[in-house]
Protein backbone atom coordinates (compact mmCIF):
# COMPACT_ATOMS: atom_id res chain seq x y z
CA UNK A 1 0.00 0.00 0.00
CA UNK A 2 1.33 3.38 -1.00
CA UNK A 3 0.48 6.56 0.94
CA UNK A 4 -1.10 9.05 -1.45
CA UNK A 5 -1.89 11.86 0.97
CA UNK A 6 -1.10 12.88 4.55
CA UNK A 7 -2.11 15.62 6.96
CA UNK A 8 -1.29 16.74 10.47
CA UNK A 9 -3.42 18.91 12.69
CA UNK A 10 -2.55 20.33 16.09
CA UNK A 11 -4.94 22.15 18.39
CA UNK A 12 -5.57 22.99 22.03
CA UNK A 13 -7.87 20.70 24.04
CA UNK A 14 -10.87 23.03 24.12
CA UNK A 15 -14.29 21.47 23.67
CA UNK A 16 -15.08 24.04 20.96
CA UNK A 17 -12.48 22.27 18.79
CA UNK A 18 -14.33 18.93 18.79
CA UNK A 19 -16.54 20.06 15.93
CA UNK A 20 -13.65 21.60 14.00
CA UNK A 21 -11.53 18.44 14.36
CA UNK A 22 -14.14 15.93 13.09
CA UNK A 23 -15.09 18.22 10.19
CA UNK A 24 -11.45 18.66 9.17
CA UNK A 25 -10.89 14.89 9.10
CA UNK A 26 -14.11 14.37 7.11
CA UNK A 27 -12.99 16.97 4.56
CA UNK A 28 -9.59 15.29 4.23
CA UNK A 29 -11.30 11.96 3.38
CA UNK A 30 -13.48 13.36 0.57
CA UNK A 31 -11.12 12.20 -2.24
CA UNK A 32 -11.94 8.60 -1.17
CA UNK A 33 -15.51 9.23 -2.39
CA UNK A 34 -17.13 8.14 0.89
CA UNK A 35 -20.88 7.61 1.27
CA UNK A 36 -22.86 9.87 3.61
CA UNK A 37 -23.00 6.98 6.09
CA UNK A 38 -19.22 6.43 5.95
CA UNK A 39 -18.54 10.10 6.57
CA UNK A 40 -20.95 10.04 9.54
CA UNK A 41 -19.12 6.97 10.92
CA UNK A 42 -15.71 8.64 10.72
CA UNK A 43 -16.94 11.96 12.13
CA UNK A 44 -18.53 10.17 15.08
CA UNK A 45 -15.46 8.04 15.83
CA UNK A 46 -13.09 11.03 15.57
CA UNK A 47 -15.42 13.07 17.78
CA UNK A 48 -15.24 10.32 20.43
CA UNK A 49 -11.44 10.14 20.39
CA UNK A 50 -10.99 13.93 20.41
CA UNK A 51 -13.56 14.33 23.20
CA UNK A 52 -11.66 11.78 25.27
CA UNK A 53 -8.48 13.82 24.85
CA UNK A 54 -10.36 16.99 25.88
CA UNK A 55 -12.20 15.44 28.84
CA UNK A 56 -9.95 12.68 30.19
CA UNK A 57 -6.38 13.34 29.01
CA UNK A 58 -6.20 16.89 30.37
CA UNK A 59 -8.73 16.92 33.22
CA UNK A 60 -7.79 20.19 34.96
CA UNK A 61 -5.77 21.91 32.27
CA UNK A 62 -5.44 22.43 28.53
CA UNK A 63 -2.98 20.52 26.40
CA UNK A 64 -2.24 19.77 22.78
CA UNK A 65 -4.19 17.28 20.69
CA UNK A 66 -2.61 16.08 17.46
CA UNK A 67 -4.38 14.36 14.59
CA UNK A 68 -2.42 12.68 11.83
CA UNK A 69 -4.22 11.09 8.91
CA UNK A 70 -3.08 9.10 5.88
CA UNK A 71 -4.78 7.84 2.77
CA UNK A 72 -3.39 4.93 0.74
CA UNK A 73 -3.76 4.04 -2.92
CA UNK A 74 -6.00 1.11 -1.86
CA UNK A 75 -8.65 3.42 -0.37
CA UNK A 76 -7.49 2.86 3.19
CA UNK A 77 -7.60 5.67 5.77
CA UNK A 78 -5.53 5.72 8.97
CA UNK A 79 -6.34 8.42 11.53
CA UNK A 80 -4.27 8.89 14.69
CA UNK A 81 -5.48 11.01 17.60
CA UNK A 82 -2.71 11.71 20.10
CA UNK A 83 -2.48 13.51 23.44
CA UNK A 84 0.26 13.98 26.02
CA UNK A 85 -2.14 13.73 28.92
CA UNK A 86 -2.58 11.50 31.97
CA UNK A 87 -2.69 8.19 30.05
CA UNK A 88 -4.87 5.12 30.64
CA UNK A 89 -3.81 2.68 33.40
CA UNK A 90 -5.92 -0.27 32.12
CA UNK A 91 -6.77 -0.04 28.42
CA UNK A 92 -8.82 -3.26 28.33
CA UNK A 93 -11.06 -2.01 31.13
CA UNK A 94 -11.31 1.49 29.60
CA UNK A 95 -12.57 -0.03 26.34
CA UNK A 96 -15.38 -2.01 27.96
CA UNK A 97 -18.81 -0.62 27.03
CA UNK A 98 -20.32 1.60 29.77
CA UNK A 99 -17.00 1.91 31.62
CA UNK A 100 -16.33 5.54 32.54
CA UNK A 101 -14.22 7.29 35.16
CA UNK A 102 -16.24 10.47 34.72
CA UNK A 103 -18.88 11.70 37.16
CA UNK A 104 -20.26 13.90 34.41
CA UNK A 105 -22.97 12.67 32.01
CA UNK A 106 -20.59 10.47 30.03
CA UNK A 107 -22.16 7.32 28.61
CA UNK A 108 -18.97 5.24 28.73
CA UNK A 109 -19.58 4.35 25.08
CA UNK A 110 -16.78 6.26 23.34
CA UNK A 111 -14.59 3.24 22.60
CA UNK A 112 -17.63 1.07 21.78
CA UNK A 113 -18.68 3.66 19.17
CA UNK A 114 -15.15 3.84 17.71
CA UNK A 115 -15.01 0.04 17.44
CA UNK A 116 -18.39 -0.35 15.84
CA UNK A 117 -18.04 2.60 13.43
CA UNK A 118 -14.50 1.89 12.20
CA UNK A 119 -12.84 -1.24 10.77
CA UNK A 120 -10.02 -1.23 13.29
CA UNK A 121 -9.19 0.62 16.55
CA UNK A 122 -5.85 0.49 18.36
CA UNK A 123 -5.05 2.19 21.64
CA UNK A 124 -1.56 2.80 22.99
CA UNK A 125 -1.17 4.58 26.28
CA UNK A 126 1.39 5.24 28.99
CA UNK A 127 0.35 6.65 32.35
CA UNK A 128 1.77 10.13 32.76
CA UNK A 129 2.85 10.28 29.10
CA UNK A 130 -0.29 10.18 27.01
CA UNK A 131 -2.50 8.21 24.66
CA UNK A 132 -2.64 7.48 20.94
CA UNK A 133 -5.81 6.12 19.36
CA UNK A 134 -5.48 4.77 15.81
CA UNK A 135 -8.66 4.49 13.74
CA UNK A 136 -8.72 2.67 10.40
CA UNK A 137 -11.33 2.36 7.69
CA UNK A 138 -11.44 0.94 4.17
CA UNK A 139 -13.24 2.78 1.43
CA UNK A 140 -13.73 0.11 -1.20
CA UNK A 141 -15.00 2.27 -4.05
CA UNK A 142 -11.96 4.51 -3.77
CA UNK A 143 -9.66 1.55 -4.45
CA UNK A 144 -11.68 0.61 -7.54
CA UNK A 145 -11.76 4.21 -8.68
CA UNK A 146 -7.97 4.40 -8.70
CA UNK A 147 -7.33 1.35 -10.86
CA UNK B 1 -29.30 23.33 20.14
CA UNK B 2 -32.87 23.13 21.43
CA UNK B 3 -36.33 24.76 21.16
CA UNK B 4 -38.76 24.06 23.97
CA UNK B 5 -42.54 24.10 24.18
CA UNK B 6 -44.89 23.27 27.08
CA UNK B 7 -48.49 22.20 26.54
CA UNK B 8 -50.98 20.04 28.47
CA UNK B 9 -48.38 18.71 30.90
CA UNK B 10 -45.91 17.83 28.14
CA UNK B 11 -42.53 19.47 27.56
CA UNK B 12 -41.32 18.97 24.00
CA UNK B 13 -37.65 19.64 23.35
CA UNK B 14 -36.88 19.93 19.64
CA UNK B 15 -33.17 19.37 19.23
CA UNK B 16 -31.33 20.61 16.18
CA UNK B 17 -27.82 20.86 14.74
CA UNK B 18 -24.93 18.86 16.19
CA UNK B 19 -24.89 17.26 19.64
CA UNK B 20 -21.44 16.72 21.11
CA UNK B 21 -19.67 17.17 24.45
CA UNK B 22 -19.27 20.92 23.81
CA UNK B 23 -22.98 21.53 23.19
CA UNK B 24 -24.64 18.89 25.40
CA UNK B 25 -24.30 20.77 28.74
CA UNK B 26 -26.19 23.78 27.36
CA UNK B 27 -28.99 21.62 25.99
CA UNK B 28 -29.14 19.82 29.34
CA UNK B 29 -29.34 23.15 31.20
CA UNK B 30 -32.22 24.42 29.04
CA UNK B 31 -34.24 21.20 29.28
CA UNK B 32 -33.74 20.74 33.03
CA UNK B 33 -34.65 24.36 33.78
CA UNK B 34 -37.87 24.02 31.77
CA UNK B 35 -38.80 20.72 33.43
CA UNK B 36 -38.10 21.96 36.96
CA UNK B 37 -40.31 24.94 36.19
CA UNK B 38 -43.18 23.12 34.40
CA UNK B 39 -43.07 19.74 36.20
CA UNK B 40 -44.38 17.88 33.12
CA UNK B 41 -45.80 14.37 33.23
CA UNK B 42 -43.94 13.73 29.96
CA UNK B 43 -40.73 14.99 28.38
CA UNK B 44 -40.47 14.44 24.61
CA UNK B 45 -37.02 14.65 23.00
CA UNK B 46 -37.42 15.22 19.26
CA UNK B 47 -34.26 14.34 17.29
CA UNK B 48 -35.77 15.11 13.86
CA UNK B 49 -33.43 18.01 13.08
CA UNK B 50 -30.21 16.60 14.55
CA UNK B 51 -27.54 16.23 11.87
CA UNK B 52 -24.77 14.79 14.03
CA UNK B 53 -24.51 13.16 17.42
CA UNK B 54 -21.81 11.23 19.29
CA UNK B 55 -22.06 9.36 22.61
CA UNK B 56 -22.44 12.70 24.43
CA UNK B 57 -26.00 12.65 23.03
CA UNK B 58 -26.56 9.21 24.54
CA UNK B 59 -25.34 10.56 27.89
CA UNK B 60 -27.75 13.46 27.47
CA UNK B 61 -30.72 11.11 26.91
CA UNK B 62 -29.77 8.85 29.85
CA UNK B 63 -29.36 11.88 32.09
CA UNK B 64 -32.78 13.29 31.09
CA UNK B 65 -34.30 9.86 31.76
CA UNK B 66 -32.99 10.05 35.34
CA UNK B 67 -33.99 13.70 35.75
CA UNK B 68 -37.60 13.25 34.57
CA UNK B 69 -38.00 10.00 36.54
CA UNK B 70 -37.02 11.88 39.71
CA UNK B 71 -39.70 14.46 38.89
CA UNK B 72 -42.23 11.63 38.48
CA UNK B 73 -42.54 12.01 34.70
CA UNK B 74 -41.92 9.84 31.62
CA UNK B 75 -39.40 10.23 28.82
CA UNK B 76 -40.08 9.76 25.10
CA UNK B 77 -37.52 9.89 22.27
CA UNK B 78 -39.05 10.58 18.84
CA UNK B 79 -38.05 11.17 15.19
CA UNK B 80 -34.58 9.62 15.34
CA UNK B 81 -33.22 10.17 11.80
CA UNK B 82 -31.69 7.25 9.86
CA UNK B 83 -28.14 8.58 10.30
CA UNK B 84 -28.47 8.36 14.10
CA UNK B 85 -30.10 4.89 14.24
CA UNK B 86 -26.74 3.16 14.53
CA UNK B 87 -25.61 4.98 17.69
CA UNK B 88 -29.05 4.64 19.33
CA UNK B 89 -29.04 0.87 18.66
CA UNK B 90 -25.51 0.54 20.04
CA UNK B 91 -26.47 2.48 23.19
CA UNK B 92 -29.13 -0.03 24.22
CA UNK B 93 -31.50 2.87 24.97
CA UNK B 94 -34.43 0.93 23.48
CA UNK B 95 -34.30 -1.30 26.58
CA UNK B 96 -35.49 1.69 28.64
CA UNK B 97 -38.68 1.68 26.56
CA UNK B 98 -38.33 5.38 25.71
CA UNK B 99 -37.92 5.07 21.92
CA UNK B 100 -41.14 5.82 20.07
N1 LIG C 1 -7.23 10.04 25.92
C1 LIG C 1 -7.50 9.53 27.13
N2 LIG C 1 -6.72 9.83 28.21
C2 LIG C 1 -6.98 9.33 29.43
N3 LIG C 1 -8.02 8.51 29.72
C3 LIG C 1 -8.83 8.15 28.69
C4 LIG C 1 -8.63 8.65 27.36
N4 LIG C 1 -9.60 8.13 26.57
C5 LIG C 1 -10.36 7.35 27.35
N5 LIG C 1 -9.93 7.36 28.64
C6 LIG C 1 -10.50 6.58 29.76
O1 LIG C 1 -11.35 5.56 29.24
C7 LIG C 1 -12.67 5.67 29.76
C8 LIG C 1 -13.69 5.22 28.74
O2 LIG C 1 -13.73 6.09 27.62
P1 LIG C 1 -15.05 6.16 26.72
O3 LIG C 1 -15.41 4.77 26.28
O4 LIG C 1 -14.84 7.17 25.66
O5 LIG C 1 -16.18 6.61 27.75
P2 LIG C 1 -16.45 8.08 28.38
O6 LIG C 1 -15.67 9.10 27.62
O7 LIG C 1 -17.92 8.27 28.22
O8 LIG C 1 -16.00 8.00 29.82
C9 LIG C 1 -12.79 7.12 30.20
O9 LIG C 1 -13.78 7.32 31.19
C10 LIG C 1 -11.37 7.42 30.70
O10 LIG C 1 -11.18 6.93 32.01
MG1 LIG D 1 -15.52 9.22 25.62
Amino acid sequence: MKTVNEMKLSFISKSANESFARSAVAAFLLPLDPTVAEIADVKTAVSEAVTNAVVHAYPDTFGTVIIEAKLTDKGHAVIKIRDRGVGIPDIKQAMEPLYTTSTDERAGLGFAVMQSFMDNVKVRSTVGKGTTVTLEKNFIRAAYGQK
Amino acid sequence: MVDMTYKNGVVTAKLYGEIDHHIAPRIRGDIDAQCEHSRPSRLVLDFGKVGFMDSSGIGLVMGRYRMISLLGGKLEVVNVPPNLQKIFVLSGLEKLGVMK
Side-chain angles (χ1 to χ4, degrees):
Chain A
M1 275 195 295
K2 218 173 75 202
T3 300
V4 293
N5 200 3
E6 279 181 73
M7 70 94 149
K8 184 168 172 177
L9 200 67
S10 171
F11 55 93
I12 181 167
S13 62
K14 292 208 155 186
S15 61
N17 287 330
E18 291 156 7
S19 148
F20 151 74
R22 62 180 178 260
S23 300
V25 173
F28 180 71
L29 297 185
L30 286 183
L32 295 180
D33 193 22
T35 62
V36 173
E38 285 169 338
I39 279 291
D41 285 356
V42 172
K43 279 178 92 169
T44 312
V46 169
S47 194
E48 297 295 350
V50 170
T51 300
N52 282 351
V54 169
V55 176
H56 306 296
Y58 305 109
D60 310 307
T61 141
F62 292 111
T64 304
V65 183
I66 291 167
I67 300 184
E68 284 173 280
K70 267 189 207 177
L71 311 181
T72 75
D73 58 345
K74 298 276 188 272
H76 188 68
V78 182
I79 305 152
K80 286 189 186 189
I81 298 99
R82 195 166 83 223
D83 66 64
R84 294 190 190 285
V86 298
I88 305 175
D90 184 342
I91 296 173
K92 195 163 166 274
Q93 180 184 46
M95 293 181 81
E96 276 167 21
L98 304 180
Y99 178 82
T100 180
T101 51
S102 173
T103 49
D104 219 26
E105 284 190 347
R106 314 284 327 138
L109 290 172
F111 282 122
V113 166
M114 290 183 239
Q115 284 176 316
S116 105
F117 286 32
M118 301 296 284
D119 293 332
N120 194 26
V121 179
K122 274 181 279 185
V123 182
R124 286 185 47 202
S125 191
T126 309
V127 172
K129 290 241 163 101
T131 301
T132 301
V133 174
T134 306
L135 306 171
E136 295 183 55
K137 200 170 183 76
N138 280 303
F139 297 81
I140 310 296
R141 286 168 320 289
Y144 282 117
Q146 292 189 3
K147 271 186 185 164
Chain B
M1 287 254 312
V2 60
D3 286 329
M4 225 102 52
T5 53
Y6 175 66
K7 210 180 155 188
N8 302 330
V10 180
V11 167
T12 303
K14 280 193 195 278
L15 303 151
Y16 59 87
E18 308 206 321
I19 304 179
D20 64 9
H21 153 262
H22 180 64
I23 300 291
R26 301 181 217 182
I27 300 177
R28 172 177 74 207
D30 284 3
I31 294 175
D32 289 8
Q34 176 76 54
C35 289
E36 271 150 36
H37 179 256
S38 310
R39 301 270 161 169
S41 58
R42 192 148 45 102
L43 167 63
V44 179
L45 300 179
D46 185 337
F47 281 82
K49 294 251 157 48
V50 177
F52 171 88
M53 185 181 110
D54 63 19
S55 71
S56 308
I58 299 301
L60 181 77
V61 175
M62 298 195 308
R64 303 299 60 66
Y65 176 79
R66 281 192 291 272
M67 179 276 301
I68 198 70
S69 302
L70 285 173
L71 292 180
K74 292 252 174 287
L75 182 73
E76 256 179 39
V77 174
V78 302
N79 291 331
V80 174
N83 58 314
L84 301 188
Q85 296 287 353
K86 199 164 161 181
I87 194 159
F88 270 94
V89 169
L90 179 142
S91 75
L93 271 174
E94 75 270 28
K95 285 180 212 127
L96 290 180
V98 298
M99 312 288 298
K100 296 286 148 150

